[in-house]
Amino acid sequence: MSSERRVVVTGLGTVSPLGNDIDTTWANITKGISGAASITKFDTSEFATTFAAELKGYDEISGLSPKEKRRIDPFVQYALTASDQAIKDANLSLENIDNTRIGVSIGSGIGGLGSIENNAIILNQKGPRKISPFFVPGAIINMASGNVAIKYNLQGPNISIVSACSSAGHSIGYSARSILYGDADIMITGGSEAGITPLGLAGFNAAKALSTNNENIKRASCPWDKKRDGFLLGEGAGILVLEELTSALNRDAKIYGEVVGFGQSDDAYHITAPAEDGRGAYNAMKNALNDFNEDYSLIDYINAHGTSTPLGDVIEAKAIYELFKDVSNLSVSSTKSMTGHLLGAAGAIEAIFCLLSMRDSVIPPTINLDDPDNEFNLDLTPNTSKSREVKYSMSNSFGFGGTNVSLIFKKI
C-alpha cells in the first residue's frame, strides 16, 4: 500500500424515498420531510405494518427499457440509475480513462427479494418450466455491481459485499482501501435495496423490527424518542465515485470530501440485537478513529445508525458518549427518521448526507424527536436542521449478525 495515495469523493447519485436525484433528496432532508406513506406496491390489509418509505415516480426517470426492467430485479435497477447519476456528477469521460483501473463495489443486504418471491409463486402455481432464465442472473446480489460494470465497460475490481445493514458502509470502506492499495484508481461504490415486498414486510414484522404506528405514519420513525417502536422500512440506492486524489486533481474534478477513516467490528452477541454494553458500535467507531489517526474532538457530526428501535438507539448513544467523552461540540442526527431504513443501502445514502453536510455547513435533523430518551445529553438535532461548519463527519451502520462499520470523511 502506498501511504502517499489519498481517496476522495468526486461523484454522488441516489434514488431515495425523498427524491430520485441528489438535489431533491437533500433539499427534503434539510427541510425535515418524511418519506413515509401507505404502501402502494401490494395489499397490506393483513399486515401488522401498512406503511413504508417507497420510491416515488422512479419508473418515469429510471432510463431503463421495459425489457431491462423485466430481466433485472428492482435493486439492480436502482443501482444502475444512481450509478449513472454519480458517474455524470463526477464528469467521468470513460472513453479517455484506463477502464482496467476503474472498479465497482455495490452492496445489498437482501438483493433480489421480490424476484425470489415472485418466482417461488410461479414455481408453485405453474411449475418449473415457467421460471424465467433471467431469474437467477437478475436477482443475485453481485448483479448490481456486475450490471454497472458491463454497462460502462469497467474492468477493474468487481465485488459485492453482503453484511446486512452494514453492506454499503463496508463497500465504501473496502473500495477506499482498494484505491489505497493501488488495485484501482476509481471505484463506483455504495449500496442498493428493494426490500418492500410482501415477504420482506412479513419477515420484518415477524421479527418485531418494524414500527406498527399505522395511525400516525409520518411520525412513526422517531429515533431516540420515547415513543419509538421500530424502524420504517425504506428502499433505494446511494452511489459514490471514489477516486485517488491525484487522478481527481488531474481531471480538475470537484471534490466532496476525503475518506479518512474506516473501522469495523462485530458484537459477537446476538443475531439481531446489539450488545447491551455498546461494544460493537464503540469498537467500530474507535477503529475508524484509529485509522483516522487524529484527535477525536475534530469530529463535528455523526450521522448515526439510529433506526428508531427501542434498544438500538440508546445503545448507540451510550457508545458515542463513552468513546468521545466530551460531546459538547458534537452534533448527531438520524436521517432514517425521514428516509426510513434502506437496509443494505443505508450506509451509502447516509455517507452522501455526511458529505453534503460538510459542503453546505448544515446538520440535517432528527425529526419526530419530541420526548428524547437521551440520558447522555447528546445534541441529537431535534426536528430542525442546524447551521454549523462541518469539517469532519462520521457515518455509522450496524447490521444483523452484529456487524458494524464506521466511516470518517474530511472536508478539503
Side-chain angles (χ1 to χ4, degrees):
M1 181 176 66
S2 171
S3 61
E4 296 179 356
R5 291 173 70 88
R6 295 167 62 187
V7 180
V8 296
V9 182
T10 57
L12 304 175
T14 191
V15 290
S16 85
L18 291 174
N20 293 316
D21 57 69
I22 290 291
D23 290 344
T24 304
T25 296
W26 182 237
N28 286 328
I29 284 289
T30 57
K31 292 174 185 175
I33 293 174
S34 171
S38 296
I39 290 172
T40 63
K41 296 174 182 287
F42 52 90
D43 179 14
T44 61
S45 58
E46 296 186 7
F47 290 80
T49 298
T50 64
F51 60 95
E54 295 178 327
L55 297 187
K56 301 160 186 73
Y58 171 73
D59 286 341
E60 288 79 1
I61 62 93
S62 71
L64 300 172
S65 69
K67 180 184 289 187
E68 288 174 306
K69 290 179 182 179
R70 288 195 301 270
R71 291 183 172 185
I72 53 177
D73 188 85
F75 93 98
V76 180
Q77 298 176 32
Y78 303 162
L80 282 165
T81 303
S83 295
D84 185 64
Q85 292 177 18
I87 289 169
K88 289 176 178 175
D89 185 47
N91 198 27
L92 278 175
S93 177
L94 297 175
E95 297 80 9
N96 301 318
I97 295 179
D98 181 357
N99 286 15
T100 66
R101 302 291 301 164
I102 306 177
V104 187
S105 178
I106 301 172
S108 183
I110 304 176
L113 181 62
S115 294
I116 295 169
E117 185 175 351
N118 292 336
N119 278 274
I121 293 170
I122 292 170
L123 176 64
N124 183 57
Q125 294 181 349
K126 299 181 180 180
R129 295 182 182 274
K130 294 298 183 179
I131 297 296
S132 167
F134 298 103
F135 160 48
V136 171
I140 55 179
I141 286 176
N142 75 306
M143 283 303 167
S145 292
N147 275 277
V148 170
I150 291 166
K151 180 176 180 178
Y152 298 101
N153 189 30
L154 307 180
Q155 300 173 33
N158 189 289
I159 189 169
S160 295
I161 294 176
V162 182
S163 54
C165 302
S166 298
S167 299
H170 277 122
S171 296
I172 295 166
Y174 278 104
S175 292
R177 287 191 175 173
S178 294
I179 294 172
L180 289 173
Y181 273 80
D183 295 331
D185 295 324
I186 298 172
M187 292 291 294
I188 313 302
T189 186
S192 187
E193 202 76 85
I196 305 176
T197 74
L199 187 60
L201 188 68
F204 283 117
N205 269 153
K208 307 295 185 185
L210 297 180
S211 172
T212 57
N213 188 1
N214 298 307
E215 294 74 32
N216 206 348
I217 290 172
K218 294 292 185 183
R219 298 185 64 79
S221 184
C222 49
W224 295 294
D225 194 276
K226 290 179 181 178
K227 66 179 178 291
R228 67 191 185 279
D229 71 329
F231 72 78
L232 167 67
L233 184 59
E235 64 180 352
I239 300 294
L240 298 79
V241 176
L242 304 189
E243 188 166 357
E244 197 277 321
L245 177 61
T246 301
S247 170
L249 294 175
N250 286 342
R251 295 195 306 109
D252 195 27
K254 70 172 175 289
I255 295 174
Y256 288 98
E258 181 178 2
V259 184
V260 294
F262 172 40
Q264 310 165 77
S265 74
D266 196 271
D267 289 63
Y269 174 74
H270 188 271
I271 56 171
T272 58
E276 293 182 4
D277 61 4
R279 62 178 179 261
Y282 181 99
N283 288 331
M285 290 186 288
K286 182 179 179 181
N287 290 337
L289 287 161
N290 288 343
D291 191 36
F292 175 45
N293 199 29
E294 298 285 352
D295 192 278
Y296 288 22
S297 66
L298 290 174
I299 305 299
D300 300 301
Y301 169 54
I302 298 177
N303 189 299
H305 184 60
T307 57
S308 190
T309 55
L311 189 61
D313 291 3
V314 292
I315 288 176
E316 183 178 10
K318 171 184 170 71
I320 292 169
Y321 179 81
E322 292 184 347
L323 179 63
F324 284 87
K325 295 181 173 62
D326 180 4
V327 295
S328 60
N329 197 44
L330 181 64
S331 293
V332 181
S333 72
S334 173
T335 49
K336 287 186 181 74
S337 59
M338 296 168 280
T339 65
H341 191 354
L342 272 64
L343 308 177
I349 196 167
E350 289 158 15
I352 288 170
F353 296 154
C354 283
L355 291 157
L356 297 176
S357 178
M358 296 191 301
R359 183 193 69 179
D360 294 348
S361 297
V362 61
I363 307 295
T366 306
I367 67 168
N368 304 324
L369 183 52
D370 303 316
D371 188 10
D373 185 5
N374 183 19
E375 65 178 288
F376 304 106
N377 200 33
L378 298 179
D379 173 13
L380 299 174
T381 323
N383 299 313
T384 305
S385 295
K386 175 192 296 185
S387 296
R388 66 164 288 185
E389 185 175 20
V390 182
K391 293 182 179 179
Y392 295 90
S393 58
M394 172 182 280
S395 175
N396 288 340
S397 298
F398 313 138
F400 283 1
T403 182
N404 309 293
V405 60
S406 186
L407 299 164
I408 300 175
F409 300 95
K410 174 184 177 181
K411 182 177 182 177
I412 59 173

